[in-house]
Amino acid sequence: MNNLQLTATDIRLGIIEAVFGAKSGHPGGALSSADILACLYFNELNIDPKNPKMENRDRFVLSKGHSCPGLYSALAQRGYFSKDLLKTFRHTDSILQGHPDMKYIPGVDMSSGSLGQGFSCACGMALSAKISGKDYRTYTLVGDGESQEGQIWESIMFAAHYKLDNLCMIIDNNGLQIDGKVSDVMNTMPYDTKLKAFGWHVIEIDGHNYDEILNAFKEARETKGQPTAIIAKTIKGKGVSFMENQAGWHGKAPNEEQYLQAKSELEAYKKSLEGGNN
Amino acid sequence: MADKIATREAYGDALAEFGALNENIVVLDADLAEATKTIKFKKKFPERFFDCGIAENNMFGVCAGLSTTGKIPFASTFAMFAAGRSYEQIRNSIGYPHLNVKICATHAGISVGEDGATHQCNEDIALMRTIPGLVVINPSDAIEARAAIEAAINYNGPMYMRFGRLAISVINDNDDYKFEIGKAIKMADGNDVTIVANGMMVEQALIAKDMLKEEGISASVINMHTVKPLDVDTLISEAKKTGAIVTSEEHNIVGGLGSAVAEALCEVCPVPVIKHGVNDEFGRSGPAKELIEYYGLTAKGIVEKAKIAISLK
């Protein structure tokens, strides 16, 4: 568990490096989902960084594609490419595009970024496994603001209709979007009753609690006949004090002073975790 | 000439035919299987047919996901709801990652008939050909529709194919007929003007050629079934030879075949290009054959444009 926390902190450090290097990007929603990504890439997913296209690998689609500093950082930590590459995020000659690009980035299973679309693609991957009798699983991370897109609810209908129990959708429920609180901009909640009414198995967790995240993935794997939604309550900007719960940090890069502060906060936290190991 | 048959019928038949040969082929529809004719595949291969309900945007995303795992998804709905409603899903989830998805849109153009303007998509070719790397095909009869499907199965990349509701003549029943993506077919050789057409307008172009001949005008007829990638070499050689081009399409004259031909020729071999098609207006309800006359999508309409093109030489 402690190792996962360390990994998540490294992912967060990578996020800060990436958006600082790009002088743009989306740190808030990347930080809120870092613990979920650590659990996926370092515990749950059946993947091989040396063979990113392994046929029977588990798939992951970042439907909230703007959070890709988190995905890229997780992939780099997992060994898909060098961590040095994170500093080139959004640079003209870099493979690390502003939103995920499956053509050039090892480990990215689907190009995404236009909200509402990645989830549909994940449904297609899960359906394909059902058609072919393969046992890989498909995971997708959806934003709570993103669920305002009608296409999300088309996918929710589709996955339940075709009983895609090999599909697990995680909602990064950090409660904030560009214009403010999700509940003020266009309320999408409650998710649990809505998703249950659509025929989904629903698990509500604290998206920063590793026991809860890992147990939810296990429960999803064991759930048959219906897809599983994990509603993960999270804190936007989690891990960097001045970014936490601030909608303004949805899509803004830190200046040098803020960068150094974020880095020192995360490094201090990492040190405290490492101390706990001794 | 054989009996008339709609290209959508040929599409459904081709899916059922080739579906037996390639088990990676899967077919998706958005509650229009009876109309798009994907029902012919559904009846033979129900385990590889997936109705997505009236939710086209999700359908195209599902296709993108399926294709990443090696499936060859054919997705159908009306042209309006494929190219129109789902333009951005096709651009971002299929075109940008260059995925092997075959978008097969039926009920294109005003020959939809009675359903009227909301269902008559005269803008699909314009929309689809702006997406980098997307192959755009508008077959001229049932034989070409079948050939396009066969070519699509053997081509690894995104394609948009357009099929019609109306039964039209079979014009490609010659033994030496050969379909190749991006390669125009010369249907007639002439010296005074070149008619470049696709879809159901190819038959009208051939009739127009005969009408012009009676007036002593010799016309080439080019079947430009692939709008993208456009066969620019054939266009250049025709432009050099006849020096006057008429394009003809069952589509808005803005953005479609005519625009593609004009864009290509103006840079390399500028000659007069007169566009024949739907004159930047919406369709209306009526029997398809009456609408074709109403909008002048006839051989007579092509003849008039041909004379204008020749006068501008």
Side-chain angles (χ1 to χ4, degrees), chain A:
Chain A
M1 221 57 78
N2 202 266
N3 282 341
L4 281 175
Q5 269 173 292
L6 275 171
T7 301
T9 309
D10 281 333
I11 290 172
R12 289 192 165 93
L13 279 161
I15 291 167
I16 297 302
E17 287 294 343
V19 293
F20 179 66
K23 296 187 170 53
S24 69
H26 300 83
L31 291 166
S32 66
S33 56
D35 299 304
I36 296 161
L37 289 170
C39 291
L40 278 169
Y41 277 90
F42 288 82
N43 192 286
E44 179 66 14
L45 296 179
N46 171 33
I47 47 172
D48 178 5
K50 291 192 189 70
N51 185 9
K53 300 276 183 196
M54 183 172 72
E55 199 179 329
N56 206 42
R57 72 188 184 281
D58 288 341
R59 267 74 174 174
F60 174 71
V61 178
L62 184 67
S63 197
K64 47 174 298 197
H66 57 275
S67 293
C68 61
L71 173 62
Y72 296 165
S73 187
L75 289 171
Q77 296 294 334
R78 191 71 171 79
Y80 281 86
F81 47 80
S82 163
K83 289 174 209 165
D84 293 339
L85 215 53
L86 294 174
K87 290 177 180 150
T88 71
F89 174 52
R90 291 182 166 228
H91 291 196
T92 307
D93 56 356
S94 174
I95 60 165
L96 298 184
Q97 294 296 298
H99 292 83
D101 177 0
M102 67 184 287
K103 288 202 301 292
Y104 301 109
I105 308 173
V108 172
D109 289 321
M110 186 65 217
S111 301
S112 61
S114 178
L115 294 179
Q117 298 190 20
F119 183 9
S120 295
C121 305
C123 288
M125 294 172 186
L127 179 66
S128 184
K130 289 282 180 194
I131 298 168
S132 303
K134 291 185 176 162
D135 62 359
Y136 70 80
R137 292 180 56 76
T138 302
Y139 299 79
T140 183
L141 186 67
V142 172
D144 48 6
E146 180 183 14
S147 71
Q148 290 158 355
E149 289 282 1
Q151 189 176 344
I152 292 292
W153 298 93
E154 293 183 2
S155 304
I156 287 169
M157 273 190 286
F158 181 92
H161 183 83
Y162 285 107
K163 301 184 168 52
L164 300 180
D165 53 16
N166 55 354
L167 176 73
C168 177
M169 170 187 60
I170 307 119
I171 298 182
D172 183 9
N173 190 192
N174 61 38
L176 294 173
Q177 60 186 120
I178 294 176
D179 281 352
K181 290 182 184 170
V182 174
S183 55
D184 289 339
V185 175
M186 181 53 63
N187 194 16
T188 54
M189 286 159 270
Y191 288 115
D192 57 341
T193 47
K194 284 178 184 164
L195 284 159
K196 280 175 189 164
F198 274 89
W200 283 61
H201 178 63
V202 179
I203 307 168
E204 293 183 274
I205 62 164
D206 171 353
H208 304 302
N209 180 311
Y210 294 84
D211 283 329
E212 292 189 23
I213 299 170
L214 296 175
N215 283 334
F217 285 143
K218 182 167 179 284
E219 188 176 324
R221 255 184 281 125
E222 289 164 355
T223 300
K224 300 298 170 200
Q226 59 183 158
T228 294
I230 298 172
I231 302 161
K233 192 89 193 115
T234 59
I235 294 166
K236 197 152 183 160
K238 171 78 176 173
V240 176
S241 62
F242 58 93
M243 291 186 183
E244 287 191 0
N245 277 321
Q246 300 296 320
W249 284 103
H250 170 87
K252 189 171 79 171
N255 62 27
E256 188 156 8
E257 188 187 338
Q258 292 163 330
Y259 160 72
L260 291 171
Q261 190 192 331
K263 211 172 148 175
S264 80
E265 282 183 22
L266 288 165
E267 276 168 353
Y269 182 61
K270 195 176 159 185
K271 211 164 209 176
S272 75
L273 290 172
E274 285 165 343
N277 262 352
N278 295 333

Side-chain angles (χ1 to χ4, degrees), chain B residues 3 5 12 20 35 37 44 65 75 97 100 107-108 130-131 139 186 189 207 215 230 233 235-236 241 287 293 299:
Chain B
D3 289 341
I5 178 168
K37 301 301 172 189
K44 261 180 97 174
N100 193 25
H107 294 62
T130 62
I131 299 175
K186 185 176 265 194
D189 196 18
I207 297 167
E215 298 187 44
L230 194 66
D233 290 343
L235 286 176
I236 292 172
K241 184 183 63 178
E293 291 289 333

Side-chain angles (χ1 to χ4, degrees), chain B:
Chain B
M1 279 186 187
D3 289 341
K4 292 190 173 198
I5 178 168
T7 49
R8 63 175 167 146
E9 293 282 358
Y11 163 57
D13 289 335
L15 284 180
E17 177 189 349
F18 296 119
L21 306 176
N22 189 331
E23 63 176 22
N24 283 326
I25 293 172
V26 292
V27 176
L28 295 88
D29 207 303
D31 192 41
L32 288 168
E34 295 271 358
T36 65
K37 301 301 172 189
T38 58
I39 192 157
K40 296 181 187 210
F41 180 93
K42 180 185 177 181
K43 280 181 179 162
K44 261 180 97 174
F45 309 105
E47 71 288 354
R48 283 191 272 148
F49 176 87
F50 302 95
D51 210 316
C52 297
I54 309 166
E56 298 81 6
N57 294 341
N58 178 60
M59 176 171 76
F60 290 111
V62 168
C63 287
L66 283 164
S67 74
T68 67
T69 64
K71 302 292 178 206
I72 308 173
F74 282 74
S76 283
T77 178
F78 291 177
M80 191 70 253
F81 314 125
R85 176 175 309 211
S86 296
Y87 170 80
E88 202 233 315
Q89 281 72 17
I90 293 171
R91 180 196 185 273
N92 278 328
S93 289
I94 296 171
Y96 175 49
H98 200 74
L99 293 173
N100 193 25
V101 176
K102 315 303 174 184
I103 302 146
C104 295
T106 69
H107 294 62
I110 58 129
S111 62
V112 165
E114 292 82 349
D115 274 358
T118 55
H119 286 55
Q120 294 162 335
C121 190
N122 296 317
E123 305 86 12
D124 54 327
I125 302 287
L127 288 162
M128 292 294 97
R129 77 183 186 89
T130 62
I131 299 175
L134 192 75
V135 170
V136 180
I137 291 176
N138 185 10
S140 62
D141 73 352
I143 288 172
E144 197 154 79
R146 178 188 174 278
I149 295 303
E150 188 174 22
I153 294 163
N154 295 315
Y155 171 82
N156 185 14
M159 292 176 71
Y160 177 84
M161 286 166 280
R162 178 191 226 233
F163 303 107
R165 171 175 184 261
L166 182 68
I168 58 173
S169 301
V170 172
I171 57 172
N172 294 302
D173 49 354
N174 46 310
D175 291 339
D176 59 347
Y177 172 78
K178 185 169 171 265
F179 181 89
E180 201 180 319
I181 293 170
K183 187 79 192 122
I185 297 171
K186 185 176 265 194
M187 310 285 284
D189 196 18
N191 297 313
D192 300 324
V193 64
T194 301
I195 306 165
V196 181
N198 64 17
M200 71 170 194
M201 297 314 295
V202 178
E203 184 193 10
Q204 297 305 309
L206 291 168
I207 297 167
K209 180 246 327 171
D210 292 339
M211 290 164 71
L212 287 164
K213 194 177 176 188
E214 282 175 20
E215 298 187 44
I217 297 169
S218 155
S220 279
V221 176
I222 303 295
N223 170 7
M224 193 64 81
H225 50 67
T226 308
V227 183
K228 191 176 186 176
L230 194 66
D231 185 350
V232 180
D233 290 343
T234 294
L235 286 176
I236 292 172
S237 80
E238 283 296 318
K240 283 183 176 161
K241 184 183 63 178
T242 66
I245 307 277
V246 179
T247 60
S248 183
E249 58 195 312
E250 189 202 2
H251 186 278
N252 195 337
I253 56 165
V254 175
L257 173 68
S259 295
V261 168
E263 285 162 17
L265 286 178
C266 74
E267 291 187 343
V268 288
C269 187
V271 296
V273 176
I274 302 297
K275 302 195 294 291
H276 175 246
V278 176
N279 196 25
D280 198 18
E281 59 187 319
F282 291 106
R284 58 186 299 122
S285 288
K289 282 171 188 163
E290 287 181 26
L291 292 179
I292 286 166
E293 291 289 333
Y294 183 93
Y295 288 97
L297 298 178
T298 58
K300 188 164 161 277
I302 297 173
V303 165
E304 286 165 14
K305 299 286 187 187
K307 289 178 182 170
I308 297 170
I310 292 167
S311 74
L312 290 172
K313 275 208 254 187

